[in-house]
Amino acid sequence: MTYQVHIIGGGLAGSEAAWQLAQAGVKVRLSEMRGSGDMTPAHQTDGLAELVCSNSFRSDDAEKNAVGLLHQEMRDLGSLIMAQGEVAKVPAGSALAVDRDIFSHGVTRALVQHPNVEIVRERIDALPSEGMTIVATGPLTGGALAASIGAETGAESLAFFDAIAPIVYRDSIDMDICWMANRWDKIGPGGGEGKDYINCPMDKEQYQAFVQGLLDGPKTEFKQWETNTPYFEGCMPIEVMASRGPETLRHGPMKPMGLDNPRTGRWPWAVVQLRQDNALGTLWNMVGFQTKLKHAAQVELFRTIPGLEKAEFARLGGLHRNTFLQSPKLLDATLRLKSAPHIRFAGQMTGCEGYVESAAIGLIAARFALGELAGHFLAPPPVTTALGALLSHVTGGAEATTFQPMNVNFGLMPPPDEATKKKDRKLAYTKRARTDFNLWAREQKLLEPA
């Protein structure tokens, strides 16, 4: 199949971009190195859009949460990622969590079956010298391609470490100690009883011993070239958080607020929460427990948590290095590389953080490419929208010299009217965003069937 756009990378951004282009009648070549004999440090399969965390899509509240608003905007633009997320969702309170295998299989099947998509299992080692290209290789870009990107941009890629949380088998958790509840008994948009999380209680002595164990436990050692690489604040290893002070975890991933232990009627001193990781409910993710502890130390320490004394682990925590561009300096307003405008970048490599954000940037990159192929300029979405705010951040809204990965948040948008009461501000952001997004989408003729 001859193709009009070459997409490099079959993660969420590349898969979303391929879908958007293909649905509009554009022929796409999607190059993915997994399945060609190469693998990354974090992936385990050759499936497209593979996830490493079940709660990858976070809040689905489009009225009071910025990422939930981004969900809605993506759905309005025919997102494959959001459609398959809905198919694969599992209970998670007000969040949109998915069964990772069902999700990846759904995305892969949709693209394999699309007549306008050719999936090629190959490793690309250099930026193409011509032809419309979208590079969506993500934070684990292969060394040769990363070197090619560095040579083209004339700037070194920034980098940070991303840690992965352990996964526990459900039948190894002692429910005589643990209990099911959401914080403040909050019920998600899909209904339910407000009991989506397994909660493991700790008293003060247990908590203090646990924190000391985190600090004392053996950690994965860095290679010489990794020693000065900063962590991303949104995925901080739990032992790094613990090093910031003995109470840090009690006000972070182990906070007990809003979680009444039914056996005591009181909040514990600290709580470890687990979230369902697959549709069957057999695997549960330790929420916020990203770690670089060595595997044997993880097993020993995590089995001191009440209710996890006999825990069996389907996956232990890990650590990998992420890279991203100095995008505000290198990319134009439509994600084109200024030094080579036939190339666009998409996904986490642009400096957006999170799977949803990665897919969103893949979506808008494809829409920009469609406009260019049709001979007209697609105006970027307004900065008052979730998609526009995220795009603006990576293409110039952030300070280039101090640029760091960012999740979508209301802080990226202009504040609402000063007269808006504090309790109404989130709703003011989303109401304005919906109005501005719909106006932009109608003007750009994006709400018509692709």
Side-chain angles (χ1 to χ4, degrees), residues 418-433:
E418 291 184 1
T420 305
K421 295 181 179 179
K422 184 176 181 179
K423 67 182 180 65
D424 298 326
R425 287 177 69 83
K426 291 181 179 179
L427 193 57
Y429 275 112
T430 59
K431 184 177 180 180
R432 180 185 64 184

Side-chain angles (χ1 to χ4, degrees), residues 95-398:
L96 175 58
V98 303
D99 181 297
R100 294 174 295 135
D101 292 333
I102 293 175
F103 174 77
S104 178
H105 291 161
V107 173
T108 302
R109 182 173 57 250
L111 291 173
V112 166
Q113 294 176 352
H114 204 295
N116 291 329
V117 178
E118 178 187 17
I119 300 171
V120 183
R121 301 293 181 166
E122 60 182 351
R123 190 183 71 203
I124 304 297
D125 288 336
L127 289 174
S129 60
E130 59 183 3
M132 188 175 290
T133 303
I134 296 176
V135 179
T137 48
L140 299 174
T141 299
L145 181 57
S148 176
I149 293 170
E152 178 60 43
T153 61
E156 293 184 0
S157 291
L158 305 176
F160 62 93
F161 286 110
D162 192 9
I164 302 171
I167 293 176
V168 180
Y169 288 105
R170 171 66 172 76
D171 60 9
S172 70
I173 300 172
D174 187 349
M175 295 306 295
D176 288 333
I177 296 175
C178 305
W179 78 99
M180 302 287 298
N182 294 355
R183 198 175 303 279
W184 306 111
D185 296 321
K186 186 175 181 180
I187 296 175
E193 300 179 357
K195 297 182 178 180
D196 296 325
Y197 292 82
I198 294 175
N199 299 279
C200 307
M202 279 187 170
D203 61 27
K204 184 175 181 180
E205 183 179 347
Q206 290 167 333
Y207 171 78
Q208 291 176 337
F210 181 80
V211 170
Q212 194 61 48
L214 285 172
L215 298 175
D216 294 343
K219 317 297 191 300
T220 301
E221 295 182 3
F222 298 138
K223 298 180 176 64
Q224 183 177 358
W225 53 269
E226 296 176 322
T227 52
N228 295 320
T229 307
Y231 293 108
F232 170 58
E233 287 288 334
C235 202
M236 185 72 63
I238 191 168
E239 61 275 5
V240 176
M241 285 188 277
S243 70
R244 295 180 173 182
E247 292 293 293
T248 302
L249 294 178
R250 287 190 67 237
H251 296 276
M254 296 177 70
K255 63 184 177 184
M257 297 73 171
L259 292 168
D260 295 324
N261 187 336
R263 297 176 180 85
T264 65
R266 300 173 61 86
W267 296 348
W269 185 259
V271 169
V272 175
Q273 287 195 302
L274 294 96
R275 178 182 55 237
Q276 187 173 330
D277 194 76
N278 66 342
L280 293 174
T282 56
L283 302 176
W284 288 69
N285 189 296
M286 297 179 69
V287 179
F289 268 55
Q290 303 85 223
T291 182
K292 61 173 184 172
L293 283 173
K294 290 187 175 181
H295 284 181
Q298 290 182 46
V299 173
E300 181 179 358
L301 181 62
F302 294 158
R303 283 180 178 166
T304 68
I305 297 170
L308 300 186
E309 292 90 347
K310 298 181 180 180
E312 297 294 333
F313 297 90
R315 182 187 73 189
L316 289 164
L319 188 71
H320 58 271
R321 183 177 187 264
N322 285 352
T323 57
F324 60 95
L325 293 173
Q326 199 174 9
S327 296
K329 176 181 178 181
L330 301 173
L331 305 182
D332 70 11
T334 68
L335 298 165
R336 293 184 304 182
L337 189 59
K338 293 177 182 178
S339 63
H342 66 288
I343 295 173
R344 279 185 169 84
F345 281 86
Q348 285 184 271
M349 199 168 196
T350 65
C352 64
E353 177 58 28
Y355 284 124
V356 174
E357 290 86 342
S358 177
I361 296 298
L363 186 157
I364 196 62
R367 292 287 183 161
F368 285 139
L370 285 172
E372 189 173 334
L373 288 168
H376 66 80
F377 175 75
L378 174 68
V383 71
T384 52
T385 67
L387 182 56
L390 184 65
L391 176 68
S392 175
H393 174 75
V394 302
T395 59

Side-chain angles (χ1 to χ4, degrees), residues 59-66 68-69 72 410 424-431 434:
S59 175
D60 203 32
D61 181 355
E63 289 192 346
K64 295 184 179 180
N65 189 282
L69 176 64
Q72 186 58 53
F410 290 131
D424 298 326
R425 287 177 69 83
K426 291 181 179 179
L427 193 57
Y429 275 112
T430 59
K431 184 177 180 180
R434 296 302 300 148

